[in-house]
Amino acid sequence: KDKSMFAELLNYKDQTYFEEHPIMWLLTPEGNYQVELVAGYVTSASARIYSIGLPEEDLFALVEKAVSQSTFISDFQPSRTDRFVTLSTCSYEYDDARYVVLGRLVPLDEK
């Protein structure tokens, strides 16, 4: 509630903000990535997006659902072969609501 943990993600509820910031960067010791944002949506803290070890076909179904519920419209089109990163923060539409931002990972050496 003090906006110290990923609260800036809430800005993606606004299409104009997304249009100004459609890409994030993920920099790691193993490699650097461009994160092309494909969806942002409100969900519960117990939503399936937080599950680990889902079958690949279930994962892409979650991506498709995220895109259909997104608060912004992205030109980036996800595919089944993409790798994704998910970030989330508390949202306050209801108890235990979360705002999730989903992005497609693109290694910088592929650009």
Side-chain angles (χ1 to χ4, degrees):
K1 291 185 178 185
D2 69 0
K3 300 188 181 207
S4 64
M5 298 294 291
F6 295 115
E8 295 297 318
L9 293 176
L10 295 172
N11 292 326
Y12 283 101
K13 290 180 180 180
D14 178 61
Q15 181 70 31
T16 302
Y17 185 83
F18 165 76
E19 290 170 2
E20 294 170 356
H21 308 90
I23 294 172
M24 292 183 180
W25 304 96
L26 177 62
L27 309 174
T28 74
E30 292 77 31
N32 299 320
Y33 302 86
Q34 182 172 302
V35 180
E36 299 173 341
L37 300 179
V38 297
Y41 65 103
V42 176
T43 193
S44 72
S46 61
R48 197 151 188 225
I49 194 73
Y50 296 109
S51 300
I52 296 174
L54 292 173
E56 200 169 305
E57 57 274 2
D58 289 356
L59 290 173
F60 196 71
L62 286 173
V63 171
E64 291 177 318
K65 183 177 180 183
V67 170
S68 74
Q69 296 176 340
S70 185
T71 59
F72 59 80
I73 298 169
S74 174
D75 289 334
F76 299 121
Q77 296 300 312
S79 74
R80 292 184 180 278
T81 59
D82 289 334
R83 292 177 53 209
F84 297 93
V85 63
T86 304
L87 301 170
S88 71
T89 193
C90 294
S91 197
Y92 302 99
E93 287 79 1
Y94 51 86
D95 288 344
D96 289 328
R98 300 292 184 269
Y99 187 72
V100 175
V101 174
L102 181 70
R104 181 174 83 164
L105 284 177
V106 179
L108 287 181
D109 58 356
E110 287 186 10
K111 287 284 194 188

